[in-house]
Amino acid sequence: MARHEGSSSDPSDAEAVRLTARVFGVVQGVGFRFWTMGKAEELGLTGEVKNLADGSVALVAEGPQWNIHELRAWLNSDATPGRVERVEDSLSPAEGSFRSFRAR
């Protein structure tokens, strides 16, 4: 399956946005949540990542648009642990409901 391609940068890159994503493939039991949390913290993002019962991983991340686009690119790259087959994601305005990034 093809990976999702991120969109190009927007002039309002400094504006805070929310990324809501589900990651499919071999993404549980391979350190995916741990590495995603590390990448999000490196980018200064807040949010959470968690395993779902169907074997996928769900994540919500908030921060500057440019940093969110970097996380999206990383999720769709070969740098992630496991084997990402597909990423379904959407962007919306940040809600400010997280103080840090955590794995659940």
Side-chain angles (χ1 to χ4, degrees), residues 10 22 55 67 85 101 104:
D10 183 271
R22 283 200 49 200
N67 297 40
E85 293 176 359
F101 200 94
R104 296 192 329 159

Side-chain angles (χ1 to χ4, degrees), residues 26-97:
V26 180
V27 291
Q28 289 190 14
V30 295
F32 188 87
R33 288 178 303 144
F34 173 80
W35 285 100
T36 301
M37 184 174 69
K39 187 64 174 178
E41 288 174 340
E42 173 187 316
L43 293 169
L45 304 175
T46 60
E48 67 181 17
V49 60
K50 64 183 177 181
N51 288 338
L52 297 179
D54 69 356
S56 67
V57 170
L59 74 94
V60 176
E62 290 188 350
Q65 193 168 30
W66 174 256
N67 297 40
I68 291 292
H69 284 299
E70 264 197 67
L71 181 63
R72 285 175 88 190
W74 181 81
L75 289 171
N76 285 286
S77 75
D78 292 331
T80 59
R83 189 181 76 242
V84 173
E85 293 176 359
R86 182 173 90 251
V87 178
E88 294 177 357
D89 63 28
S90 63
L91 293 175
S92 59
E95 297 176 10
S97 51

